[in-house]
Amino acid sequence: MGHSGNLQLKVVNGDAGYVLEDVPHLTDYIPDLPTYPNPLQFNAAYSVVKQYFVNVDDTVSQKIVVHKDSPRGTHFRRAGPRQKVYFVSDEVHACIVTCGGLCPGLNTVIREIVCGLYHMYGVSKILGIDVVNDIHKRGGTILGTSRGGHDTSKIVDSIQDRGINQVYIIGGDGTQKGAAVIYEEIRQRGLKVAVAGIPKTIDNDIPVIDKSFGFDTAVEEAQRAINAAHVEAESIENGIGVVKLMGRYCGFIAMYATLGSRDVDCCLIPESPFYLEGEGGLYEFIEKRLKENGHMVIVIAEGAGQDLLAESLQSMNQQDASGNKLLQDVGLWISHKIKDHFARLHKMAINLKYIDPTYMIRAIPSNASDNVYCTLLAQSAVHGAVAGYTGFTVGPVNGRHAYIPFNRINERQNQVVITDRMWARVLSSTNQPSFLSANELAKFKREKPSCPVVG
Ligand SMILES: Nc1ncnc2c1ncn2[C@@H]1O[C@H](COP(=O)(O)OP(=O)(O)O)[C@@H](O)[C@H]1O
Ligand SMILES: O=P(O)(O)OC[C@H]1O[C@](O)(COP(=O)(O)O)[C@@H](O)[C@@H]1O
Ligand SMILES: [Mg+2]
């Protein structure tokens, strides 16, 4: 594993507080590169488009809610086809790589990079990939994936030895950090190789972009587990259904699955600390809800309550090969705690069923809307690389696809902001306690400035 290295930032300041956080271009370090007319203008399918190409000066604003006197803030270069390209078709030798955990839509992105390169730019040399026809109907990734094992020098040696000049890297926060150091090494070696990142994560914790692909599909699949938990719980006296959903450091899947379902009585996420015993605690709430409704459903993100687990179990502080924290099974732990608590109470017999769909929500093919999203991501990445941009991640910012410099994607991870309206919607839909005292809430409001939340 490496680090982000000596990334050179391209920031353009304009009047009235306008800031463009631009992405690198091959001509930044290789002067006098020849350009060619974009072949897209000869493509029959695109002849209906009023304006073939994105204006070179188009940018996408990160901030869309503004006041009369507020600065216009950060902008990113708009994604899309350019009039001039820096590669001719038969010069391009592309490769595609997928890293990290699985995510619905990986095969669609692969397929659409291949199809985009071929149909829009006449490129046929794409390393190791022949037939992509129906791969979008399958979950997983046809290329395989892994955690750990990053050696920048060897990777760039291999790119150089094979004559690859466009690298498409699909992966999450770890992968985008890897992509950033690969780009930096390529720049230092002065190679004409465009590096494009396509952000992937089931947890939806990549900053700046509106949402990551596959997230909607995962939230939809999570409904099946929640529905089963609800059916089980409501069919038996004092039934409790506990569903554990993915989310290592953030609770977006749990939050959206809860809001999508409306059958959930309590949603627990890593960002919102909770406690079990005493007034305002989880046990008290469970007892109250069972008395009112006779059953309840709890959704818990896998990263929630890890501090409580560490207190009662021996914390092992283990990591996977990529340095991600390995978590204790909070779903199993909380199910045992609830069962033990009510067994000790004697006055209330409960029936608890624990459902852990884990990999089922991410090992499935993407739904139709994620497929469309993946297609746009792939095409934006291809347009960017062919136009000579490099060292960028592509993604929608306020609904418009943009090229975002790696440093912005890699500087932090997105989390649910529990002082934002979206979390309030959850609390209001479940009517669960916030588990926060007035003092703690005030502290959260002070400490956590609003950061982007999907939706
Ligand atoms: N800080 C880092 N610098 C360079 N490469 C990294 C870094 N963190 C992770 N990687 C590499 O990125 C790849 C995927 O990372 P991982 O965290 O498993 O998945 P994800 O990309 O989904 O976050 C691994 O090969 C890992 O070695
Ligand atoms: O068992 P694995 O493959 O390491 O993946 C499990 C973890 O990956 C995640 O899905 C997140 O990883 P990604 O950001 O790579 O999608 C977590 O929610 C989960 O804890
Ligand atoms: Mg990760």
Side-chain angles (χ1 to χ4, degrees):
M1 282 209 297
H3 50 80
S4 298
N6 173 32
L7 291 173
Q8 298 190 335
L9 307 182
K10 280 174 76 178
V11 179
V12 180
N13 290 294
D15 295 338
Y18 169 92
V19 181
L20 167 63
E21 294 198 18
D22 205 357
V23 294
H25 194 271
L26 292 172
T27 51
D28 293 347
Y29 62 90
I30 316 175
D32 307 323
L33 275 178
T35 60
Y36 313 92
N38 191 327
L40 201 61
Q41 61 195 298
F42 311 113
N43 185 316
Y46 286 83
S47 61
V48 293
V49 180
K50 199 165 155 200
Q51 192 184 346
Y52 278 131
F53 305 113
V54 165
N55 188 311
V56 279
D57 293 328
D58 278 0
T59 58
V60 178
S61 174
Q62 188 177 16
K63 197 162 134 183
I64 49 164
V65 179
V66 288
H67 306 284
K68 190 158 57 86
D69 303 318
S70 61
R72 293 172 61 200
T74 300
H75 293 65
F76 299 108
R77 197 168 276 286
R78 184 180 174 193
R82 270 36 187 187
Q83 197 144 13
K84 287 187 304 188
V85 296
Y86 284 78
F87 293 90
V88 272
S89 311
D90 52 10
E91 173 199 357
V92 176
H93 190 189
C95 78
I96 307 172
V97 55
T98 49
C99 299
L102 291 184
C103 186
L106 278 166
N107 280 334
T108 313
V109 176
I110 297 167
R111 180 187 196 274
E112 296 308 322
I113 292 173
V114 173
C115 293
L117 279 168
Y118 185 71
H119 293 301
M120 297 191 296
Y121 292 101
V123 172
S124 53
K125 276 188 284 173
I126 303 163
L127 193 74
I129 301 185
D130 298 318
V131 184
V132 291
N133 274 356
D134 59 355
I135 61 169
H136 61 299
K137 307 253 165 79
R138 285 183 247 158
T141 157
I142 57 156
L143 299 175
T145 188
S146 69
R147 296 204 188 268
H150 182 101
D151 186 328
T152 311
S153 229
K154 280 194 188 151
I155 292 171
V156 179
D157 285 350
S158 172
I159 289 170
Q160 206 169 353
D161 293 348
R162 291 163 195 256
I164 290 164
N165 50 21
Q166 290 184 10
V167 184
Y168 296 91
I169 304 179
I170 313 167
D173 55 337
T175 305
Q176 300 302 316
K177 286 188 185 107
V181 287
I182 290 169
Y183 155 71
E184 186 56 27
E185 176 73 19
I186 284 173
R187 189 184 69 80
Q188 276 171 19
R189 293 193 197 181
L191 305 176
K192 187 190 173 189
V193 177
V195 179
I198 295 108
K200 169 247 44 143
T201 168
I202 201 72
D203 290 348
N204 197 30
D205 56 0
I206 295 190
V208 185
I209 64 168
D210 296 343
K211 187 165 55 177
S212 52
F213 72 82
F215 175 72
D216 276 354
T217 304
V219 168
E220 209 166 287
E221 187 65 12
Q223 301 300 304
R224 283 159 34 96
I226 295 174
N227 286 345
H230 186 236
V231 168
E232 289 285 344
E234 70 171 354
S235 305
I236 196 160
E237 197 182 347
N238 288 333
I240 302 177
V242 175
V243 179
K244 186 184 79 173
L245 294 174
M246 281 188 168
R248 207 194 295 263
Y249 306 108
C250 67
F252 288 109
I253 297 177
M255 176 165 90
Y256 275 75
T258 295
L259 276 172
S261 152
R262 304 283 163 164
D263 282 335
V264 178
D265 296 89
C266 188
C267 174
L268 301 169
I269 59 170
E271 297 87 338
S272 180
F274 66 94
Y275 56 95
L276 303 174
E277 314 263 355
E279 202 184 323
L282 185 64
Y283 294 149
E284 185 191 75
F285 174 64
I286 295 175
E287 196 174 332
K288 182 169 154 274
R289 191 51 61 93
L290 289 179
K291 280 181 183 151
E292 288 164 359
N293 286 359
H295 69 277
M296 76 179 293
V297 174
I298 299 172
V299 163
I300 186 160
E302 63 178 336
Q306 291 294 317
D307 50 332
L308 300 177
L309 262 92
E311 277 168 26
S312 57
L313 303 173
Q314 275 298 340
S315 175
M316 290 176 281
N317 265 336
Q318 285 180 337
Q319 295 185 331
D320 71 11
S322 297
N324 300 305
K325 194 170 148 192
L326 281 176
L327 302 175
Q328 313 266 14
D329 189 339
V330 72
L332 209 52
W333 173 82
I334 206 156
S335 298
H336 284 307
K337 293 294 278 187
I338 295 170
K339 281 184 193 166
D340 286 352
H341 172 79
F342 285 95
R344 269 188 279 117
L345 262 190
H346 296 305
K347 61 178 181 184
M348 206 164 185
I350 59 147
N351 279 291
L352 187 146
K353 302 284 191 296
Y354 172 44
I355 299 181
D356 179 1
T358 54
Y359 298 105
M360 291 179 72
I361 67 166
R362 71 172 204 191
I364 51 172
S366 45
N367 67 16
S369 93
D370 268 325
N371 268 340
V372 175
Y373 178 20
C374 291
T375 304
L376 297 188
L377 279 171
Q379 291 190 356
S380 295
V382 167
H383 290 313
V386 172
Y389 292 109
T390 181
F392 68 86
T393 298
V394 66
V397 178
N398 296 314
R400 293 299 179 123
H401 281 240
Y403 299 134
I404 305 158
F406 282 138
N407 65 297
R408 286 304 305 273
I409 293 290
N410 292 336
E411 67 193 0
R412 67 185 176 93
Q413 278 175 299
N414 241 12
Q415 284 200 304
V416 173
V417 178
I418 63 166
T419 48
D420 267 2
R421 246 175 232 107
M422 208 60 187
W423 184 240
R425 287 185 185 111
V426 173
L427 298 183
S428 136
S429 96
T430 58
N431 208 12
Q432 69 189 71
S434 75
F435 301 105
L436 291 175
S437 66
N439 279 348
E440 283 167 323
L441 199 56
K443 191 168 146 253
F444 265 96
K445 283 191 178 175
R446 276 197 310 275
E447 277 176 3
K448 303 224 167 162
S450 220
C451 69
V453 177
V454 281

